[in-house]
Amino acid sequence: MSKRKAKAKWKADTKRWQVDVRKGGIRRSFYSTISAADAEKKAAKWDGTPPVKKEKKQPETVVGSEAWAMQMLTPPETVNEAYERWLHNELQCNTSESNWRAVDSRYRNWVKYVIGSLPLDAVRNGHIKKVMDDAFYNRKAPEVLVQRKCTKGEHMSRKALKNLRGDLSALFKYCLEYEWVSFVPVIHIDRRAEAVGKTILQKADLDILFNSERTTIDGQETSDPYIYAYRLQVLTGLRPGELFGLEWADIRSDYIKVDRSINTLGQVTTGKNRNARRLVPLCSGAKEALLKQWQRTGRKGGKVFEILNGEHYCKRLKRYCEFNGITVVTPYELRHTFISMTKGLPPEMVKDMVGHSESMDTYGVYGHHVDGSEVVMAGMLDDAFAAVSKQSKSTA
């Protein structure tokens, strides 16, 4: 017996279901105000064909959020598996690429070869201590030792150990949230771990920096194309990434509006933290550096400094320092120099200028230009650097 293809349809004008069928050349219509199935049953009695049956829905494949939920309810077997879930579901979703890549590098260098293959529920404080001890003594996995050269006997710095401790704590807290583990390990840093000393430009170095533009490029003595970038960093405390992302549209008469930063991967971001977006006052020296940079390249618009990348900038700065016989510093240490030179200023003011304040209302800073506080701060910066310059000349 063939199946009827015709299906009942709702007729809005008559407010009823209607199905049209044909049998032996005769065409008839059947109606129902109850349902489409009722109309089709009436038609079936007349033409002797079974009514159209609704196809059963196939069970849906578990995808998307349901699959993720099922995965998270299934405890990972090893530390490596737990780490991969934390990396993909937490870090890569909620942090910047430069941040999670740094975490991933530390895990593969220091954690994976020690406890990565261990069952997650078998990890104890002693295993975590082994990770931290190996890191302190620079005991890496064999493949890592081949890829990265380290001075024999060199210890990891306290800051690096703190970063590693933070990674491990965050990983196990994540596991605890899903009840994969029953505790978060207690992690201690070796007391012998030392903080890396901050190198800054001294007063005599600053005197040379603000009076010499010369360096060598390809063996030839010439004017350093980044000289005004070095000076601006010392005079404003900008982070290297903020300097690389600086555009002429961000420059105002008395301040710089810091809105973006370029990270080590060349990606444009909003900055290192929520306080990175701020207004930075311009002292007279900073204004002069920007004016001279404008005379060099500013008429083109766009970026203030056409710097290829952070590594290139760092090499140029090192070459400049060596050529002029001053303390060799990194781009970030130019920022440290600014902070050191402004110790006489109110701490909260300096924190606001460099984007360090934890409780600062970031967007509230943009209101400072209305009441002229940037002008006041710029004047205080002028006094601070004038004092440094005066002391440098008196000791010369």
Side-chain angles (χ1 to χ4, degrees):
M1 184 182 289
S2 60
K3 292 183 179 180
R4 187 190 317 110
K5 296 182 181 180
K7 294 182 180 181
K9 296 180 181 180
W10 175 255
K11 297 295 182 180
D13 53 343
T14 58
K15 296 182 179 180
R16 59 184 179 178
W17 295 93
Q18 176 180 327
V19 58
D20 300 321
V21 294
R22 185 188 296 271
K23 179 182 178 182
I26 302 173
R27 182 184 181 90
R28 286 191 62 180
S29 297
F30 295 87
Y31 309 93
S32 174
T33 57
I34 300 173
S35 67
D38 185 54
E40 290 172 2
K41 284 180 181 178
K42 293 177 181 178
K45 289 180 181 179
W46 179 73
D47 64 6
T49 57
V52 179
K53 293 183 179 180
K54 292 184 179 179
E55 295 181 1
K56 291 184 179 180
K57 288 186 177 180
Q58 297 294 326
E60 295 182 0
T61 305
V62 179
V63 294
S65 60
E66 291 184 12
W68 176 85
M70 290 182 65
Q71 180 198 48
M72 300 312 285
L73 289 173
T74 307
E77 295 183 359
T78 65
V79 175
N80 277 341
E81 189 180 338
Y83 168 75
E84 291 298 330
R85 293 193 195 181
W86 178 56
L87 175 67
H88 297 305
N89 298 329
E90 183 70 21
L91 293 185
Q92 292 182 347
C93 294
N94 300 316
T95 65
S96 65
E97 184 176 354
S98 59
N99 180 72
W100 69 255
R101 283 192 181 278
V103 173
D104 189 52
S105 176
R106 289 191 290 268
Y107 180 84
R108 299 186 187 285
N109 281 351
W110 307 107
V111 184
K112 185 176 181 179
Y113 83 99
V114 181
I115 63 172
S117 58
L118 285 179
L120 183 61
D121 57 4
V123 177
R124 298 294 180 265
N125 282 322
H127 296 113
I128 303 301
K129 186 177 186 305
K130 178 71 165 61
V131 172
M132 297 300 291
D133 286 347
D134 281 8
F136 173 70
Y137 287 109
N138 263 317
R139 293 196 290 257
K140 299 183 179 68
E143 62 271 17
V144 177
L145 286 171
V146 173
Q147 297 172 3
R148 181 179 176 186
K149 295 180 180 179
C150 284
T151 306
K152 189 176 181 180
E154 177 187 0
H155 291 170
M156 183 182 276
S157 70
R158 177 169 289 275
K159 181 178 181 180
L161 288 171
K162 282 185 176 180
N163 288 336
L164 181 58
R165 179 176 65 181
D167 297 344
L168 289 167
S169 295
L171 170 59
F172 278 88
K173 284 179 181 177
Y174 179 80
C175 294
L176 185 64
E177 287 180 2
Y178 289 98
E179 299 181 350
W180 298 337
V181 297
S182 58
F183 80 111
V184 174
V186 178
I187 307 174
H188 297 290
I189 294 176
D190 196 298
R191 293 180 180 180
R192 293 168 292 175
E194 298 178 356
V196 177
K198 305 295 185 185
T199 303
I200 64 169
L201 293 178
Q202 301 300 319
K203 298 177 178 64
D205 299 327
L206 289 173
D207 191 47
I208 295 173
L209 176 67
F210 289 107
N211 287 284
S212 173
E213 298 183 4
R214 310 305 292 172
T215 190
T216 56
I217 298 178
D218 297 329
Q220 300 293 321
E221 183 178 340
T222 183
S223 176
D224 194 317
Y226 299 150
I227 184 62
Y228 300 120
Y230 311 150
R231 293 177 182 176
L232 188 67
Q233 265 200 278
V234 170
L235 293 165
T236 59
L238 289 176
R239 296 182 176 93
E242 294 168 349
L243 183 81
F244 303 159
L246 192 63
E247 298 181 359
W248 287 110
D250 303 324
I251 311 299
R252 304 293 190 272
S253 59
D254 294 309
Y255 61 90
I256 293 172
K257 185 179 180 182
V258 180
D259 260 342
R260 75 191 65 78
S261 179
I262 298 178
N263 63 22
T264 55
L265 301 174
Q267 300 169 330
V268 179
T269 70
T270 56
K272 185 175 181 179
N273 54 49
R274 63 175 183 171
N275 298 317
R277 299 179 69 181
R278 64 194 187 280
L279 299 184
V280 178
L282 291 173
C283 62
S284 58
K287 291 178 181 178
E288 182 181 355
L290 285 170
L291 176 61
K292 290 185 177 180
Q293 180 64 22
W294 170 264
Q295 293 169 349
R296 276 190 176 186
T297 62
R299 294 178 178 85
K300 299 177 183 178
K303 294 282 186 66
V304 176
F305 302 102
E306 294 295 337
I307 299 172
L308 295 178
N309 53 58
E311 184 179 0
H312 178 73
Y313 181 67
C314 188
K315 287 181 178 179
R316 284 286 175 86
L317 174 58
K318 181 181 179 182
R319 189 176 302 169
Y320 172 86
C321 293
E322 292 173 341
F323 178 81
N324 288 279
I326 64 177
T327 304
V328 177
V329 293
T330 65
Y332 222 92
E333 287 168 340
L334 293 178
R335 172 179 163 87
H336 296 159
T337 299
F338 168 82
I339 296 172
S340 298
M341 293 298 107
T342 55
K343 280 185 178 179
L345 301 182
E348 290 305 315
M349 188 185 88
V350 177
K351 285 182 180 180
D352 286 356
M353 286 191 287
V354 298
H356 272 177
S357 178
E358 292 293 334
S359 58
M360 180 181 66
D361 178 6
T362 304
Y363 293 100
V365 177
Y366 291 138
H368 286 186
H369 69 279
V370 176
D371 57 23
S373 61
E374 277 76 17
V375 178
V376 175
M377 287 191 283
M380 296 175 75
L381 285 174
D382 281 334
D383 294 340
F385 282 102
V388 171
S389 177
K390 184 177 180 180
Q391 185 177 350
S392 175
K393 291 179 180 178
S394 63
T395 56

